[in-house]
Amino acid sequence: MNVEQKIIFSEQTLAIVSKIVSHYPEGKQKSALLPVLHIAQAEFGGWLSVPVMDYVASILNILPIEVYEVATFYSMYNTKPVGNCVIEICRTGPCWLCGAEEIISHLESKLKIKAGETTADGKFTIKLVECLADCGNAPVIQVGWDYHGNMTKEKADELIIDFDKNNKVSHKNPYEI
Amino acid sequence: MEKKILLANIETPDFGKFETFRKQGGYAAVEKALKTMSPENVVDEVKKSGLRGRGGAGFPTGLKWSFIDKSTNNPRYLLCNADEGEPGTFKDHYLILKNPHLLIEGMILSSFALGANTAYIFLRGEWFYLMKILDQAIEEAYAKGYLGKNILGTDFSLDLYCHPGGGAYICGEETALIEALEGKRGNPRMKPPFPAIKGLYQNPTCVNNVETIAAVPWIINNGGCEYANVGIGKSTGTKLISACGHINKPGVYEIEMGLPVEEFIYSEKYLGGIKNGKKLKAVIAGGSSVPILPTELILKTAKGEPRLLSYESLADGGFETGTMMGSGGFIVMDETTCMVKSLLNYSRFYHHESCGQCSPCREGTGWMEKILHRIEHGQGNMHDIDLLVDIAKHVEGNTICPLGEAAAWPVRSSILHFRKEFEAHVINKKCTFNNG
C-alpha cells in the first residue's frame, strides 16, 4: 500500500459494503467481516495493514481485535505487503501428482525468489496454497480471482509476461470483477 | 448407469440462465411443493428417497432435517456448504458452474421444508467468479418471483444470499462454517448443542452440502420412492465423482450408485484408464481424508467381489480392507508414486489446516508431518513408523471435529497397506522414487 494512500473506501465501495451488511440481521453486521476484508485487501494494496484493519473495525462497529484475529486465521488475507501480482500455486495431492513442484521451481528460478517472497521491484509474489478445489485441471494456480489450470512452464511464463508488460495488478475488488 | 439427475441438460446452451433452465423443467418442483405440498410432505419425500449427505458424512438428509427445533419462534436458517476444499474434491465447483439454478431451486425447497426464511450459500473465498454466476442467477430468481416475499403468491418467503469464506479448509465442518458466517475464526464448536438446536446466531440451523441440496428438486418432481429406485441398496440416487491424478480423463462424472470401480477407472466412458499406459498403484476414493486402498483392494473387496461405487461396498471390510465414499473425490495414483511422499503431502495439508483448538490435532498433525519428512528424506528409523501409527491413533477420536480423523486415517491406512515402502526409505536412507 502506498503510505500516502488515505484509508477510506470510496462512496461506491461503501455502497457495496452497506449492501453486504444488509444481508445479515440487525446487530449481526460482524457477519460481513470476511467479505469486507476481501474488499479492503483489494483496495489497499493487496494486504491488510493494522490501520486498514482498524478502519474495517470502525465501519463494522466492532473491536479491532475482532478483525485482527480473523485476518490472521484465514489464508486468503495477507498481513504483510505483497507484490502487484500474487501468484498462488496449489501444491496439494492431485496438483503434486500432476507436476506442481516443477511449476513452483520454474517460477522461483524465473522470478529469482523463493515461495513466500516478493521480487525486489515489488511486481510479483509467489504464494503456496493448499488445494484450490480444481484438481481435474491440475496443476492449478490462481492469480487474483482467476484460476489457471493444466499449468505448464510455458503458460506460467506467458502469465508473467502479460502482467509485467501491461503493469497489471492482481488484487481487485471482488464485487466489481 | 446413464442416469443424470444433477448434470442433466447442462450442455444446453445458456443453461445457466433462468429461461433456459425453466424451459428444461427447472423450478417445476418449487411450483409443485409450494402450491400442493406441506413442509412435512417435502421432508417425508426426502426421507423416502434415502438421500444421504453428499459432503462426506453420508448422514440421511431427511432425518437431519427432522432434527430442526420447531419448538421456538426464533428464525431458522438453511446454510449451503459450498466451502469445497478437500484435496481431490471439485464436484460442487463444477455443479455450481454448470447448474446454478438447480442449487437455487434446491435451496428454496429445502428452506420451505425447514421453515427457514433466510438462507446462505457459504462459498470458499477463492470462488468469487462462481459467486458472480450464483449472484446473477439469484437476481433472476428474485425477478421471476421465486425468491423474496410471498413466493408464487404463497405464504412462503425466502431471502437467499451468497457469503464468501476466507480460505480455511476447516470451514467445511458445519459448526466452523457457522462461526465463519458470524464473522469469526473458523473454530468448530463443541457439540451438543447441535446446529439443529443452536446454530447460526444461536438459532435452529441446518447445514447441507451443495450436491445434497441440488438433489432435492428431482426428488420432489419424481417422488422419494423413485429416487430410492436409483442406485443400489441404501446407496440411493446418483453421486458426483470428481476424478483426478494419473488418469486419462480427469473430471466430474455423475454415476448411478453401484457402478463397479474397475469399470469407472478403465472404461473409455469414464476415466479411460491410467495415463501413459502405467499400472494402477492406489486410489483415494472419497477425498484425501478417507483411507487409501492399493489396486487389489480398490478393484475387489477382500472377499473377491467387485468393489462398487456405493457407501456400503466402498466401506466393505472396515478400516482393514475398505475405505469410504466420503465426498467422492477420486484420486488415482500410478506405479511411480511414492507413498511416503504422497502421505507427507497430505499430512502437511492437515497440519496447515488444523484450526489449533485441540491439542491432539494441533500437536499431532505437526508431529506426524515432521516424522514423515524425516522418513522421506532418509533420516527416519523403524521406530518412527510405529510412532506414526501411535500418534494417529491418539489424534483420532480425541478432537472437537473430524479433522482429527481426516489427518489420522491417511497415515494409518498408508502404513497399513504400504509399510514396505516406509521401511525401504529407512533402510536405503533415501526415497527410491523420483516423482513429484
Side-chain angles (χ1 to χ4, degrees):
Chain A
M1 184 184 60
N2 182 334
V3 285
E4 289 169 15
Q5 189 177 357
K6 210 172 169 190
I7 300 169
I8 185 162
F9 283 145
S10 65
E11 287 297 316
Q12 193 184 343
T13 303
L14 281 171
I16 295 171
V17 170
S18 293
K19 193 177 171 192
I20 293 169
V21 170
S22 76
H23 293 171
Y24 310 100
E26 215 179 314
K28 304 295 182 191
Q29 76 281 1
K30 187 178 170 182
S31 279
L33 181 53
L34 268 59
V36 174
L37 281 178
H38 282 302
I39 297 173
Q41 176 161 289
E43 298 218 339
F44 299 119
W47 71 291
L48 297 167
S49 65
V50 170
V52 168
M53 290 190 277
D54 291 348
Y55 174 65
V56 169
S58 73
I59 61 171
L60 289 180
N61 198 21
I62 57 178
L63 295 171
I65 187 67
E66 294 179 88
V67 182
Y68 307 158
E69 62 185 13
V70 162
T72 52
F73 181 82
Y74 295 95
S75 64
M76 291 183 75
Y77 304 122
N78 304 311
T79 49
K80 286 180 183 160
V82 292
N84 289 339
C85 170
V86 181
I87 302 170
E88 299 183 80
I89 313 171
C90 176
R91 58 169 171 175
T92 320
C95 279
W96 165 70
L97 284 177
C98 296
E101 286 187 347
E102 207 183 335
I103 302 296
I104 295 166
S105 301
H106 177 71
L107 282 167
E108 284 181 334
S109 97
K110 186 96 188 167
L111 295 171
K112 297 184 178 58
I113 51 170
K114 289 282 172 199
E117 295 176 349
T118 301
T119 53
D121 60 8
K123 282 188 176 172
F124 293 98
T125 297
I126 299 176
K127 195 173 165 184
L128 301 183
V129 294
E130 301 289 351
C131 194
L132 287 170
D134 194 21
C135 323
N137 294 317
V140 179
I141 68 174
Q142 186 171 16
V143 184
W145 301 109
D146 297 324
Y147 271 46
H148 303 270
N150 300 307
M151 190 47 56
T152 60
K153 291 179 193 174
E154 293 73 28
K155 279 190 188 176
D157 287 347
E158 283 167 22
L159 266 170
I160 290 173
I161 292 167
D162 180 39
F163 267 82
D164 197 18
K165 228 166 121 182
N166 301 306
N167 283 320
K168 283 188 180 176
V169 175
S170 65
H171 36 271
K172 289 180 184 153
N173 183 334
Y175 288 87
E176 289 180 332
I177 55 171
Chain B
M1 302 290 176
E2 273 295 288
K3 198 85 189 170
K4 292 278 183 282
I5 287 176
L6 305 164
L7 302 181
N9 306 319
I10 57 162
E11 296 310 329
T12 308
D14 288 332
F15 191 63
K17 291 190 174 159
F18 179 89
E19 293 301 345
T20 317
F21 181 74
R22 187 78 184 89
K23 272 183 203 159
Q24 300 282 348
Y27 289 107
V30 170
E31 305 254 357
K32 181 179 175 180
L34 267 57
K35 290 180 176 170
T36 69
M37 296 169 79
S38 68
E40 291 75 23
N41 292 153
V42 176
V43 175
D44 284 344
E45 288 304 321
V46 173
K47 277 185 177 170
K48 276 187 225 164
S49 75
L51 177 67
R52 295 161 69 167
R54 301 297 200 233
F59 192 80
T61 305
L63 189 60
K64 186 173 183 176
W65 285 5
S66 66
F67 294 154
I68 281 284
D69 184 6
K70 292 179 179 145
S71 65
T72 74
N73 289 324
N74 290 351
R76 297 171 208 157
Y77 293 100
L78 170 66
L79 310 182
C80 172
N81 185 346
D83 192 55
E84 190 169 54
E86 174 117 346
T89 311
F90 48 100
K91 65 189 179 75
D92 295 337
H93 184 167
Y94 186 76
L95 182 58
I96 294 168
L97 180 70
K98 294 286 184 181
N99 210 349
H101 277 290
L102 184 68
L103 175 59
I104 296 167
E105 187 176 14
M107 290 294 286
I108 300 166
L109 292 165
S110 307
S111 299
F112 175 67
L114 295 163
N117 298 116
T118 307
Y120 297 96
I121 300 172
F122 187 102
L123 283 115
R124 62 176 294 161
E126 288 87 346
W127 288 352
F128 266 97
Y129 78 102
L130 278 188
M131 197 161 124
K132 199 172 173 183
I133 290 170
L134 264 176
D135 276 341
Q136 279 168 358
I138 288 171
E139 211 172 289
E140 285 182 301
Y142 267 105
K144 300 292 180 184
Y146 286 87
L147 284 171
K149 283 200 187 311
N150 303 111
I151 296 171
L152 305 177
T154 68
D155 289 340
F156 181 62
S157 302
L158 177 68
D159 283 315
L160 175 61
Y161 307 107
C162 287
H163 180 101
Y169 165 73
I170 191 61
C171 293
E173 195 278 335
E174 60 179 3
T175 59
L177 184 148
I178 291 169
E179 288 284 297
L181 222 161
E182 291 182 357
K184 302 175 203 161
R185 297 166 78 110
N187 286 346
R189 293 177 181 172
M190 291 289 281
K191 292 190 271 193
F194 288 89
I197 309 296
K198 284 185 186 296
L200 185 65
Y201 313 128
Q202 298 297 304
N203 292 316
T205 300
C206 186
V207 185
N208 285 135
N209 176 256
V210 172
E211 187 185 348
T212 315
I213 291 170
V216 176
W218 196 95
I219 292 167
I220 298 307
N221 277 327
N222 299 277
C225 294
E226 194 62 30
Y227 189 85
N229 285 333
V230 181
I232 184 168
K234 285 183 182 170
S235 295
T236 61
T238 62
K239 176 81 190 84
L240 295 182
I241 306 287
S242 52
C244 58
H246 295 142
I247 45 172
N248 285 317
K249 293 162 65 184
V252 177
Y253 296 86
E254 182 171 12
I255 57 111
E256 184 169 347
M257 294 273 199
L259 179 73
V261 172
E262 190 160 7
E263 185 182 341
F264 184 62
I265 295 175
Y266 291 104
S267 155
E268 275 309 309
K269 194 168 141 193
Y270 299 105
L271 311 191
I274 310 302
K275 219 170 169 179
N276 302 321
K278 295 262 182 1
K279 281 187 194 156
L280 174 66
K281 181 171 183 177
V283 171
I284 302 171
S288 66
S289 63
V290 309
I292 187 172
L293 286 183
T295 306
E296 60 276 17
L297 284 173
I298 189 65
L299 300 181
K300 286 189 169 36
T301 65
K303 289 176 233 157
E305 289 164 359
R307 184 82 74 180
L308 311 178
L309 288 169
S310 73
Y311 290 97
E312 290 73 25
S313 180
L314 284 170
D316 190 71
F319 191 87
E320 292 298 308
T321 57
T323 184
M324 294 160 79
M325 171 67 84
S327 60
F330 201 87
I331 309 170
V332 179
M333 285 162 272
D334 72 18
E335 57 192 318
T336 67
T337 311
C338 170
M339 286 298 138
V340 179
K341 194 165 185 184
S342 174
L343 181 59
L344 169 61
N345 190 289
Y346 291 114
S347 289
R348 186 195 59 221
F349 171 81
Y350 288 107
H351 178 210
H352 184 268
E353 299 300 330
S354 170
C355 79
Q357 260 195 116
C358 318
S359 304
C361 181
R362 182 184 62 244
E363 303 301 328
T365 51
W367 195 4
M368 290 191 285
E369 185 195 344
K370 206 182 277 183
I371 295 170
L372 281 161
H373 191 272
R374 64 174 182 250
I375 295 176
E376 166 64 12
H377 293 90
Q379 293 149 357
N381 58 49
M382 289 299 180
H383 171 68
D384 280 339
I385 302 171
D386 293 323
L387 182 59
L388 272 173
V389 176
D390 194 43
I391 298 167
K393 283 183 177 168
H394 280 88
V395 172
E396 185 181 332
N398 289 313
T399 53
I400 291 174
C401 81
L403 196 130
E405 282 82 53
W409 288 342
V411 172
R412 285 184 56 206
S413 59
S414 294
I415 295 174
L416 177 70
H417 298 299
F418 298 98
R419 189 178 185 102
K420 282 186 180 160
E421 280 192 33
F422 290 78
E423 290 174 349
H425 276 71
V426 171
I427 293 165
N428 297 323
K429 297 196 179 303
K430 64 176 182 180
C431 175
T432 48
F433 290 85
N434 191 25
N435 62 329

